[in-house]
Amino acid sequence: MAMEKNNRPADIYVRFLQLANALRGLPSLPSLDPLEDRILAFVARAGQARERLSVRDMMAQSELGSPAMLHARLKSMREKGWIVLSDTDDTRRKQVELSQAAWLHFDKLSKCLLQATRDTGK
């Protein structure tokens, strides 16, 4: 028994995945590994909530891995252009923030989500 096309809520998510995957083929920021994706989401949530997030705060997040591994990933993500480290009042502390390019990437993903909603609503 064949299901009717676009009759499940999951169709929106699957369409979003297709559109988001197409973004990967466009020239933009280098890709991230799964842990870097989780770190990016963590930094993005803090940024969206306008919470200050220092490198030390990140190191305290044991679910993201050991401090040494996390430091290596932050360095990698910085070199790839996904995050920036900003100065704070204390020169020993650095603020972790998404780069402008990372925010633009999230803007593109949001457009994919909206497009998927429109596409499956037809």
Side-chain angles (χ1 to χ4, degrees):
M1 172 187 337
M3 293 185 64
E4 288 182 30
K5 184 176 167 78
N6 298 330
N7 65 346
R8 296 179 52 111
D11 292 335
I12 294 171
Y13 184 69
V14 171
R15 179 66 179 141
F16 164 72
L17 291 176
Q18 292 169 333
L19 293 167
N21 195 41
L23 278 182
R24 290 190 181 109
L26 299 175
S28 62
L29 295 168
S31 62
L32 300 173
D33 68 31
L35 178 56
E36 289 172 335
D37 267 336
R38 287 181 51 212
I39 293 168
L40 186 72
F42 187 86
V43 174
R45 285 190 301 270
Q48 188 69 24
R50 305 228 189 277
E51 296 173 355
R52 295 189 69 178
L53 183 64
S54 69
V55 172
R56 180 182 289 178
D57 296 333
M58 293 292 299
M59 299 297 172
Q61 303 302 315
S62 60
E63 72 273 7
L64 296 176
S66 71
M69 182 176 44
L70 192 51
H71 193 272
R73 288 298 182 15
L74 289 173
K75 181 180 178 187
S76 168
M77 293 172 70
R78 188 174 168 206
E79 290 170 354
K80 292 177 181 178
W82 286 95
I83 62 170
V84 294
L85 299 181
S86 306
D87 290 327
T88 63
D89 295 337
D90 181 349
T91 57
R92 296 169 296 170
R93 291 176 64 97
K94 298 289 185 187
Q95 191 80 18
V96 182
E97 300 171 340
L98 292 184
S99 68
Q100 187 63 34
W103 282 117
L104 291 173
H105 174 74
F106 280 119
D107 289 345
K108 290 176 189 173
L109 286 176
S110 295
K111 289 177 183 173
C112 288
L113 187 56
L114 292 171
Q115 182 65 44
T117 303
R118 284 192 296 268
D119 290 352
T120 57
K122 292 178 183 176

